[in-house]
Amino acid sequence: MSIAIETVIVFMEALELKDYERAASNLADSMFFSGFTPKPLPKDQFIAVMSGLTEGFPDLSYMFHGAKEVDNTSEGASVTGTVHITGTQTDSFQLPPLGIGPVPQTAQSISLPEETWDYLVREGMIASIRVDHVPGGDMEGLLNQLGIDYPIVQ
């Protein structure tokens, strides 16, 4: 297994365990997350959004699988994997980096469609994560499954 794939797997395991400090330690300081949210998020805002989701969805799961290295260039190693986000909203939550919240507790379960997450790994750190858009996916899909039509800050 390549270092790039190992880095991604360790990162996703940390997200799954809600260990955001360990997850952040696998992200480059200049890392950006895009495609799942209406605007790209830098490292600190990405961690804040994932942590905020956990407040409302304590059983939030990413069901990450299928990690594979698809390219290795001077830019870094490109790794893809499949994410299937599920959970039950048992508490209110807010996502300040996106201008969302507080979202009241709905007791609704979510199950987003599987999405491909593309990771760029450079020098053993994740430099970027890009989520390929699928209908019904991303943050808008998550909120829609809760029956919420929030205007998301662009």
Side-chain angles (χ1 to χ4, degrees):
M1 179 180 321
S2 73
I3 291 173
I5 290 175
E6 260 185 68
T7 301
V8 168
I9 289 173
V10 167
F11 167 74
M12 290 306 298
E13 286 174 350
L15 280 185
E16 193 73 40
L17 294 170
K18 287 88 174 148
D19 184 347
Y20 297 108
E21 187 174 321
R22 191 171 104 202
S25 74
N26 289 282
L27 301 174
D29 288 339
S30 60
M31 172 272 191
F32 271 88
F33 176 75
S34 63
F36 187 81
T37 53
K39 64 177 184 174
L41 300 176
K43 175 181 177 175
D44 61 332
Q45 290 182 6
F46 167 77
I47 293 296
V49 166
M50 295 302 133
S51 176
L53 285 173
T54 299
E55 289 176 20
F57 299 85
D59 66 342
L60 186 70
S61 180
Y62 297 88
M63 296 188 194
F64 179 75
H65 61 280
K68 63 184 174 187
E69 191 168 331
V70 295
D71 200 9
N72 198 335
T73 67
S74 60
E75 292 286 314
S78 180
V79 175
T80 65
T82 302
V83 172
H84 177 204
I85 295 176
T86 64
T88 302
Q89 188 202 5
T90 59
D91 206 347
S92 64
F93 68 96
Q94 48 191 333
L95 307 172
L98 300 177
I100 297 173
V103 175
Q105 186 268 352
T106 65
Q108 294 284 345
S109 291
I110 60 157
S111 181
L112 298 183
E114 287 191 342
E115 297 172 311
T116 299
W117 286 25
D118 300 308
Y119 307 80
L120 178 63
V121 181
R122 190 179 300 134
E123 298 177 11
M125 303 291 280
I126 297 171
S128 68
I129 304 170
R130 184 180 52 79
V131 179
D132 292 340
H133 177 74
V134 296
D138 65 38
M139 186 59 68
E140 184 178 1
L142 185 151
L143 293 172
N144 286 341
Q145 286 191 25
L146 295 176
I148 297 168
D149 186 25
Y150 260 97
I152 299 176
V153 175
Q154 300 288 329

